[in-house]
Amino acid sequence: GALQNFARKNQYAIDRVSFEHVFRDDVTGTTAEKPDDGVIIYGMYMEACRWDYETHLLADPNPKELFSDAPCVWLKPIYERTPKDPTTIYEAPLYKTLVRAGTLSTTGHSTNFVLMLEVPTDKPQAFWIKRASALFCALKY
């Protein structure tokens, strides 16, 4: 969808286009305007982490908080995107449901896994991996 539309609009080879993940904590799902390119996704939840609206970074969850709302994310198509510095992001898995496993489809992909989101952080990836931090589309299915 969005990558193909962007590639056609700008006459780029589709295999050279990928998404940049822009965390938009200045808008909500109801106030976000449709971007010219890409899509804005919202309504996600974070487990074992939370979004800090002051520092605009991933942070430890508040005490006794299992899940928190994730900010809107703009999946912005970029031509020949340079990878971000791995020390400034956490590659967080986004799942459809709380069950972190799914069955393998005929294409070899899990039916529950959606994509890896590059979440801005000031902590090493190992910090979030040890906490099993992840994002989910739904808390109940």
Side-chain angles (χ1 to χ4, degrees), residues 5-130:
N5 290 342
F6 178 76
R8 285 183 178 168
K9 174 180 160 185
N10 297 290
Q11 298 182 345
Y12 294 144
I14 186 76
D15 60 342
R16 309 284 292 311
V17 179
S18 60
F19 283 127
E20 178 181 350
H21 307 131
V22 181
F23 280 73
R24 296 284 314 270
D25 56 11
D26 58 330
V27 297
T28 65
T30 55
T31 63
E33 293 184 16
K34 184 180 181 287
D36 290 335
D37 295 311
V39 294
I40 292 183
I41 55 175
Y42 59 92
M44 299 172 294
Y45 303 93
M46 296 179 149
E47 181 182 27
C49 59
R50 69 177 172 85
W51 184 255
D52 188 327
Y53 286 86
E54 292 178 10
T55 63
H56 310 288
L57 297 170
L58 199 59
D60 270 329
N62 293 322
K64 299 183 182 181
E65 180 182 68
L66 294 177
F67 302 99
S68 62
D69 293 336
C72 293
V73 179
W74 176 19
L75 299 180
K76 179 181 177 183
I78 301 289
Y79 178 68
E80 294 185 343
R81 181 175 76 95
T82 55
K84 289 191 177 179
D85 179 0
T87 62
T88 64
I89 59 163
Y90 167 54
E91 293 183 64
L94 172 63
Y95 297 101
K96 293 177 186 174
T97 66
L98 288 175
V99 179
R100 294 180 184 226
T103 57
L104 288 180
S105 66
T106 55
T107 60
H109 295 95
S110 170
T111 55
N112 191 34
F113 175 76
V114 180
L115 62 94
M116 296 297 273
L117 285 172
E118 295 176 345
V119 187
T121 183
D122 58 356
K123 294 180 173 64
Q125 291 215 30
F127 179 88
W128 301 111
I129 292 169
K130 287 178 184 174

